[in-house]
């Protein structure tokens, strides 16, 4: 595994002419951030040794390098999901490659269904913590010596970055929520009873990504900031039939707010 990570990193270093310390996983709600990256150059996933290829509608598949404001960044346009059939080592492989490339901070986004009655469709939820509900743990197996065998997760999401994001949201007049994100394997959306259970467990929002990447990032010593856009409601009396297209539409409408917060935060981080 380590040899593959290093092989991939060596290939990318041979193509890179920047040295970013900031990475972004352009999940749902952050697609338009690509348009603000300047001096950019791209590498398709299919050209990168050992990289999986995204199969989900609405997710592209390339690494983008360039500048966002005054920061050199790398961005993943298209992430990998457990429900696509990848194992957790494949899902989180790019994050370990980021560590080899010198990434220090990772920004992530996703779409979610909310179990919190105070949330509305289109709300941005700054992730303060998560619950890992995946059937396979991304650190299962031989420990890769990027971090300890039993990594601490008491601050999975960086408190200082959360504080700065709150200040930016206040400056820009953007409403934000705070909450706990629960990651499930998917690909089904939740039943009403599952939403009820997840709310009892302490989740404010539920989705199918992010948690594995964050666990591996923290194992690698990479700081994390995450935002979830609420695209449907898992609250009793508000649950309606939902499709991938509905999720995409709600996320697209929230994109300008999420893009503003992420852009400003990355430049102040």
């Amino acid at each position: 595994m380590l040899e593959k990570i290093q092989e991939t990193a060596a290939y990318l270093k041979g193509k890179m002419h920047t040295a970013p310390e900031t990475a972004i996983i352009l999940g749902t709600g952050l697609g338009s951030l690509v348009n603000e990256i300047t001096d950019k150059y791209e590498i398709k996933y299919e050209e990168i040794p050992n990289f999986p290829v995204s199969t989900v509608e609405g997710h592209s598949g390339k690494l983008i390098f360039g500048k966002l404001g005054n920061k050199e960044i790398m961005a993943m346009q298209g992430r990998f999901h457990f429900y696509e059939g990848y194992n957790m080592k494949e899902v989180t492989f790019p994050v370990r490659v980021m560590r080899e490339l010198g990434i220090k901070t990772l920004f992530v986004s996703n779409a979610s269904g909310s179990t919190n009655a105070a949330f509305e469709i289109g709300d941005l939820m700054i992730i303060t913590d998560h619950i890992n509900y995946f059937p396979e743990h991304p650190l299962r197996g031989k420990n890769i010596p990027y971090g300890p065998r039993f990594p601490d997760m008491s601050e999975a999401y960086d408190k200082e970055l959360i504080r700065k994001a709150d200040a930016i949201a206040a400056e820009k007049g953007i409403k934000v929520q705070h909450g706990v994100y629960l990651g499930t394997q998917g690909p089904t959306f939740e039943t009403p009873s599952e939403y009820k259970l997840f709310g009892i467990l302490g989740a404010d929002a539920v989705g199918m990504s992010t948690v594995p990447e964050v666990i591996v990032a923290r194992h690698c010593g990479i700081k994390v900031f995450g935002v979830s856009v609420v695209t449907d409601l898992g609250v009793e009396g508000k649950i309606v039939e939902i499709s991938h297209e509905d999720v995409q539409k709600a996320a697209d409408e929230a994109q300008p707010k999420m893009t503003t917060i992420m852009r400003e935060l990355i430049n102040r981080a």
Side-chain angles (χ1 to χ4, degrees), residues 1 87-93 96 136 138-141:
M1 181 69 172
N87 64 44
M88 280 301 183
K89 285 186 171 55
E90 293 170 322
V91 168
T92 59
F93 183 81
R96 291 190 168 107
E136 181 187 342
L139 300 181
R140 177 176 174 269

Side-chain angles (χ1 to χ4, degrees), residues 9-10 16 33-34 39 43-44 48 53 64 66 68 72 77 84 103 130-131 139 165 183 203 264:
M16 293 166 62
L33 199 62
V34 168
D39 304 326
I43 305 171
K44 292 180 180 177
I48 304 172
V53 177
I64 303 169
L68 190 63
E72 288 188 343
Q77 190 173 36
E84 293 177 81
I103 295 300
H130 72 227
I131 297 170
L139 300 181
E264 291 295 320

